[in-house]
Amino acid sequence: MRSTAYISGACALIALFVLACARDAPEGPGPVGTPYPLHIPSNFPPMPLPPDNPLTVEGVQLGRHLFYEKRLSGNDHQSCATCHSFSTSFTDGVSTSTGIDGVNGTRNAMALVNLGWQSFFFWDGRASTLEQQALEPVRNPIEMHDTWPAVEAQLQADPAYPPLFQAAFGTSTIDSLLVAKAIAQFLRTLISGNSPYDKWKRGEGTLSADALAGYVLFTTEAGPVGQPITLPGTNTTVIGQGGADCFHCHTEGLFTDGGFHNNALDEMPADSGRALVTHQAADLGRFKVPTLRNIGLTRPYMHDGRFFSIEQVLDHYDSGGHASATADPLMKFTDPGSSMGLTAEMRTQLKAFLDALVDYEFVGDPAIRDPGPP
Ligand code: HEC
Ligand code: HEC
């Protein structure tokens, strides 16, 4: 009895001491706040999170305000959401985006979904973290065309923002790195995993017969059944299986393999793509493989928005595109006269499958819309 009482007395003392220490902990810049309950669909892997920017309720909410904040641009007219609209899976519906000065860029605004699982950002992959990516649009002269010191001063002068930074990061002194951290936190919550395809995968729903047939085409090797095909530019031979070959690059799950490929759009690409970053000839015309999630909402398509419909995209893959030194060998039908041989029925089926990748719960989610003024 006596020794138990002694032990519990000692425990109470230790507990008091720990509490006192916790209360005295210095409050500097760094993660503070309430851990954010991230809901990851059961058919997805865990999301890797950077140790120096854990998700918090306060950080995500601040990032959401900043994503819709027009004062991040030079004339206070453009926010991230101007080019990344939630109702179209965060795209802008035009081939190439226009910045605040009316200058048209050369690239198509990318869908912002399931970014937390990716390791490269932009069509050429020049940013390798979301924190790094978020710094760029503000100072890009053909996008938001502002300077970070000006943005920091504007946000600091608004009585609403300093307390939000205090709650999210333990400091009310606003700087660009904290703005980028908060936006990156919000971007990581843009998880799309409730399409009919996902529900079918999880055993929660069914797909139409056309969509199921499209899924089989999507995940099956192309070429006439049983016929050997030599991959262009290689000595490798594969046996045709009558499919459409999409899965090699648009790998099931995220519907991107996370890598860079040249899908044979041009013989001489006007945009060098990945080579702009690596300066390697082998990367000429290679671009980040975009996700196909919500593809029915994100037209026009490709890095320059050259195709306006899924039919045009299927025409491209059916005809095989243009041969070049860097065209991916998996683009098997670049030889003139050869083709994948997609019939009208196969096209209908592939399109039905791509439509089953649209997640209307995601684009209708009130938690990702403009939250209004902070
Ligand atoms: C003027 C239109 C425009 C504005 C404003 C804009 N973006 Fe973008 N965004 C684009 C375009 C175009 C691309 C592709 C650019 C490239 O590849 O060079 C892109 C690419 C991205 C990507 C890469 C996605 C991926 O899969 O690799 C992210 C993330 C992103 N933007 C987030 C943001 C954030 C955050 C903001 C606000 C701070 C923002 N954008 C402001 C047009 C815009
Ligand atoms: C060799 C790899 C590869 C294969 C095989 C492939 N794709 Fe792609 N896909 C890409 C790349 C890379 C891009 C982006 C190219 C660009 O913009 O320059 C792309 C872009 C797309 C886009 C436009 C997405 C957007 O957001 O703009 C669609 C749609 C698409 N592919 C569908 C398909 C379908 C359907 C198949 C099968 C018939 C297929 N892809 C096979 C690599 C591939």
Side-chain angles (χ1 to χ4, degrees):
M1 274 308 272
R2 244 176 132 185
S3 63
T4 320
Y6 173 77
I7 290 169
S8 57
C11 286
L13 267 176
I14 291 169
L16 269 175
F17 180 71
V18 169
L19 275 176
C21 290
R23 250 187 255 120
D24 288 349
E27 288 228 337
V32 292
T34 323
Y36 182 88
L38 199 60
H39 297 297
I40 296 184
S42 60
N43 55 323
F44 280 42
M47 185 188 289
L49 291 168
D52 63 347
N53 193 21
L55 296 195
T56 62
V57 172
E58 294 81 358
V60 169
Q61 184 63 9
L62 171 59
R64 185 178 165 197
H65 279 296
L66 293 166
F67 186 84
Y68 287 96
E69 178 55 76
K70 293 191 168 144
R71 283 173 287 178
L72 257 52
S73 66
N75 63 1
D76 296 354
H77 283 339
Q78 199 171 53
S79 71
C80 307
T82 308
C83 301
H84 299 287
S85 163
F86 72 90
S87 61
T88 52
S89 195
F90 296 97
T91 57
D92 60 4
V94 293
S95 293
T96 57
S97 305
T98 305
I100 62 160
D101 304 323
V103 180
N104 207 263
T106 55
R107 290 188 179 167
N108 182 255
M110 304 172 87
L112 306 183
V113 286
N114 303 334
L115 296 169
W117 285 277
Q118 298 182 30
S119 320
F120 296 100
F121 303 96
F122 298 119
W123 285 106
D124 50 20
R126 65 187 177 278
S128 50
T129 64
L130 283 171
E131 284 76 6
Q132 197 187 333
Q133 179 283 319
L135 287 172
E136 197 180 295
V138 168
R139 57 189 175 205
N140 187 329
I142 59 166
E143 291 189 3
M144 301 166 97
H145 202 183
D146 209 332
T147 68
W148 274 111
V151 171
E152 288 161 355
Q154 246 181 319
L155 298 179
Q156 193 76 55
D158 180 329
Y161 273 111
L164 295 181
F165 280 83
Q166 178 71 44
F169 298 112
T171 174
S172 55
T173 306
I174 297 174
D175 77 55
S176 60
L177 295 178
L178 294 182
V179 173
K181 277 187 169 185
I183 291 178
Q185 286 192 37
F186 173 64
L187 294 177
R188 289 192 177 95
T189 68
L190 304 180
I191 298 175
S192 178
N194 278 324
S195 66
Y197 157 83
D198 293 291
K199 292 188 177 169
W200 168 66
K201 274 274 151 174
R202 296 196 292 261
E204 297 162 7
T206 53
L207 289 183
S208 69
D210 271 349
L212 282 172
Y215 171 74
V216 173
L217 290 172
F218 190 94
T219 51
T220 301
E221 204 73 54
V225 180
Q227 196 175 300
I229 305 164
T230 303
L231 302 186
T234 73
N235 295 324
T236 309
T237 301
V238 295
I239 305 295
Q241 294 176 25
D245 253 351
C246 316
F247 70 110
H248 289 294
C249 305
H250 301 283
T251 318
E252 235 194 303
L254 297 172
F255 290 92
T256 164
D257 66 356
F260 302 88
H261 296 269
N262 178 344
N263 66 344
L265 290 174
D266 302 294
E267 196 183 330
M268 274 304 298
D271 183 333
S272 301
R274 184 67 179 150
L276 292 169
V277 177
T278 64
H279 308 292
Q280 300 290 315
D283 285 328
L284 189 71
R286 284 190 180 159
F287 290 87
K288 175 176 169 175
V289 177
T291 181
L292 299 185
R293 285 183 171 277
N294 302 322
I295 196 73
L297 304 174
T298 63
R299 66 179 59 86
Y301 303 116
M302 305 298 167
H303 69 271
D304 52 5
R306 67 177 66 190
F307 296 141
F308 293 87
S309 66
I310 293 292
E311 286 74 16
Q312 283 180 313
V313 171
L314 293 179
D315 283 346
H316 166 69
Y317 285 110
D318 186 37
S319 73
H322 303 275
S324 70
T326 61
D328 201 286
L330 292 168
M331 296 298 295
K332 300 184 183 116
F333 308 102
T334 47
D335 285 348
S338 69
S339 93
M340 193 183 274
L342 293 182
T343 61
E345 188 187 28
M346 290 161 92
R347 284 164 184 259
T348 305
Q349 293 166 340
L350 275 169
K351 187 153 183 308
F353 174 65
L354 294 174
D355 284 342
L357 295 177
V358 178
D359 176 354
Y360 287 101
E361 286 173 37
F362 173 71
V363 293
D365 183 357
I368 62 176
R369 295 190 183 184
D370 188 346

